[in-house]
Amino acid sequence: MAVDYAVIVVYLVGMLAMGWWGMRRAKSKSEFLVAGRRLGPWMYSGTMAAIVLGGASTIGGVGLGYQYGLSGAWMVFTIGLGLLALSVFFSARIARLKVYTVSEMLDLRYGGRAGVISGVVMWAYTLMLAVTSTIAYATIFDVLFDVNRTVAIILGGTIVVAYSTLGGMWSITVTDMVQFVVKTIGVLLLLLPIAVVKAGGFGEMKAKLPTEYFDPLGIGGETIFTYVLIYTFGMLIGQDIWQRVFTARSDSTARWGGTVAGTYCLVYALAGAVIGTAAKVMYPKLPSADAAFATIVKDELPVGVRGLVLAAALAAVMSTSSGALIACATVANNDIWSRLRGVVAKDGEERDEVRGNRAFILIMGVAVIVIAIALNNVVEALTVAYNLLVGGLLVPILGGLLWRRGTAAGALAAVAVGGASVTGLMAGYGILANEPVYYGLIASLAVYVVVSLATKATDPAVLTAWRERLAGRGAEDPAAPEPVTV
């Protein structure tokens, strides 16, 4: 394993070096939180694909393939569909708003009264998303170094917190680009073909497995519908995703770069399912489907390649974890703490704001590591995160973008009722049940429409200012001088 260890150590040291580089570059709030809004199409595509394809998409995607066959691709596939929908229909308008958070967008649209409550819901989502990614370190480091779960979480979490705190979005962007390359080589170009060959090829896989393993709908229509509801719609409204949209240097970068990233996700989804299906042929009686990835890597890959593929798994986890962490800290500082204190930043305070946002990343990072150590179930934590996001914020966000008659009162009611309904129904039906997000979303939509129609329409001046921002006018951001065209 010495060669494998060397590959992993070089990778981890490289991540910390990128953090140091980012610290030297991030000199303003815009640079620190959204990379100066100046990423070119290739870097934007790579980093967007990196953040949405995390440990759940890699380790979990292979696990679903092990359990259900090719239809196990649906979870990651719906993530790709959501990213495509966001890129094609909404990303250009979102990028033109020149804001830092989803709650700022809600304030612009509804007149400045939706920020704190929506910020709390978004903060809970990003916190749990960061926690789930951090928990995934335990699986990878257990294979690498045979360390216990707590040590693994602290080791992986500390590296991510370190480079994220040092350089903010610039560090995360550069590390994500490296992680995207490592992930592509490790999973798509190495693990996928090796797994298929070791399983005897597709003919042997079909001969040894039940036919439902090759049924594209084998996982079940209700499960696919739930994935669409949670992950496809979740991609449209998550702070972690929007904060990446804000880094695009232009409308076309956001639209076409995101489309490329979404298409990549579709390919990645199928690759994970095929790898899992091959693992089922080779190891038909694993104690857990989620062990499929680690088992096939540990037992079937040659020295050196094994280290690179494990580095790819680390890359997947770290990219999602760092993106969720900076999103969580941005919401906590800008949408909750600053608003509760009544602090409004002035242009001359940009440098001080870097220090404040850096402190919040560190604080949130420590909290994420502590919670990750305390929790055991990744799927439950991820379900809680997406249920809160979709149930509480989908309706007011899409309503604000698509329905002129939506009001601030309707938005606030939708956030409160949707979030409370999802939370209460999860307590009643169980965290993994489908009903909480179904009924919570229906309740949120009904309240939004009824309250909006029953209250005074949004001030025309607010709507005029909103349309100006959507058109790219009326918002100046202190971005850096020249675009990054990588």
Side-chain angles (χ1 to χ4, degrees):
M1 291 286 288
V3 175
D4 296 325
Y5 290 158
V7 172
I8 299 298
V9 169
V10 168
Y11 169 76
L12 294 177
V13 171
M15 295 301 99
L16 293 174
M18 297 298 180
W20 181 260
W21 177 87
M23 182 180 68
R24 297 167 61 87
R25 184 154 193 150
K27 301 299 185 182
S28 70
K29 179 180 178 180
S30 178
E31 295 281 354
F32 190 81
L33 293 183
V34 291
R37 306 187 195 274
R38 53 198 184 105
L39 296 190
W42 291 110
M43 185 171 281
Y44 178 87
S45 297
T47 58
M48 182 63 87
I51 187 176
V52 300
L53 296 174
S57 300
T58 303
I59 299 171
V62 172
L64 287 171
Y66 182 88
Q67 188 173 0
Y68 297 104
L70 298 186
S71 67
W74 273 106
M75 184 188 77
V76 183
F77 201 84
T78 56
I79 290 174
L81 292 178
L83 186 52
L84 285 171
L86 174 71
S87 301
V88 173
F89 298 112
F90 300 108
S91 62
R93 285 187 285 175
I94 292 170
R96 286 195 293 263
L97 290 173
K98 293 293 190 290
V99 295
Y100 292 102
T101 68
V102 174
S103 294
E104 288 181 38
M105 167 263 170
L106 292 173
D107 278 351
L108 283 172
R109 168 59 181 83
Y110 294 112
R113 289 179 289 171
V116 173
I117 185 171
S118 62
V120 170
V121 175
M122 188 64 77
W123 172 79
Y125 156 72
T126 53
L127 179 70
M128 295 307 293
L129 186 62
V131 166
T132 60
S133 300
T134 304
I135 291 173
Y137 294 128
T139 300
I140 301 168
F141 279 101
D142 177 56
V143 176
L144 282 174
F145 305 117
D146 194 25
V147 297
N148 69 47
R149 180 179 182 276
T150 299
V151 173
I153 289 172
I154 292 174
L155 177 60
T158 299
I159 292 171
V160 170
V161 171
Y163 74 69
S164 301
T165 302
L166 286 172
M169 187 58 83
W170 267 123
S171 293
I172 292 170
T173 295
V174 177
T175 54
D176 277 0
M177 198 63 197
V178 174
Q179 289 158 358
F180 169 74
V181 173
V182 171
K183 195 168 6 183
T184 300
I185 295 173
V187 175
L188 296 185
L189 302 184
L190 292 177
L191 183 58
L192 175 60
I194 290 174
V196 172
V197 170
K198 292 280 188 177
F202 286 104
E204 188 70 13
M205 291 162 63
K206 285 187 176 182
K208 290 187 174 181
L209 294 173
T211 55
E212 55 263 28
Y213 264 72
F214 301 91
D215 180 356
L217 303 179
I219 199 170
E222 184 179 356
T223 299
I224 295 171
F225 178 74
T226 302
Y227 285 159
V228 170
L229 199 61
I230 294 177
Y231 297 115
T232 300
F233 285 113
M235 287 294 106
L236 298 180
I237 59 175
Q239 169 68 26
D240 53 323
I241 308 303
W242 278 40
Q243 198 156 344
R244 294 309 175 96
V245 176
F246 301 151
T247 66
R249 77 178 191 208
S250 67
D251 296 356
S252 60
T253 296
R255 183 182 298 111
W256 296 112
T259 301
V260 171
T263 304
Y264 178 90
C265 292
L266 304 184
V267 175
Y268 200 88
L270 184 59
V274 171
I275 293 167
T277 304
K280 184 67 175 179
V281 173
M282 290 182 280
Y283 310 98
K285 295 183 179 180
L286 288 177
S288 166
D290 284 341
F293 180 89
T295 302
I296 196 171
V297 169
K298 190 174 184 179
D299 294 349
E300 301 297 336
L301 299 186
V303 173
V305 173
R306 180 170 49 205
L308 184 59
V309 172
L310 288 171
L314 270 178
V317 175
M318 285 184 166
S319 57
T320 301
S321 180
S322 59
L325 177 59
I326 193 171
C328 178
T330 302
V331 171
N333 187 20
N334 293 270
D335 290 339
I336 301 175
W337 178 245
S338 295
R339 292 169 191 262
L340 292 177
R341 293 174 61 220
V343 174
V344 179
K346 300 177 181 177
D347 290 342
E349 297 173 347
E350 287 283 315
R351 188 177 298 273
D352 291 334
E353 287 193 52
V354 172
R355 187 182 302 117
N357 282 292
R358 183 174 281 134
F360 265 86
I361 291 178
L362 179 60
I363 294 168
M364 291 297 106
V366 172
V368 164
I369 292 172
V370 172
I371 296 171
I373 292 171
L375 291 179
N376 287 315
N377 195 311
V378 177
V379 176
E380 288 190 358
L382 191 64
T383 302
V384 169
Y386 275 98
N387 280 356
L388 284 172
L389 177 69
V390 174
L393 289 177
L394 179 66
V395 169
I397 292 173
L398 293 188
L401 289 169
L402 300 174
W403 191 38
R404 178 185 174 89
R405 188 60 181 81
T407 66
L412 289 170
V415 173
V417 171
S421 298
V422 165
T423 303
L425 290 167
M426 282 192 293
Y429 282 98
I431 290 176
L432 298 180
N434 294 327
E435 289 84 357
V437 72
Y438 293 168
Y439 299 146
L441 193 55
I442 292 171
S444 179
L445 177 61
V447 168
Y448 179 72
V449 172
V450 170
V451 174
S452 291
L453 293 176
T455 53
K456 184 179 179 181
T458 305
D459 187 338
V462 172
L463 290 177
T464 298
W466 166 251
R467 287 193 297 271
E468 289 289 306
R469 291 291 284 267
L470 282 178
R473 299 186 294 270
E476 294 297 327
D477 185 70
E482 295 293 336
V484 173
T485 57
V486 179

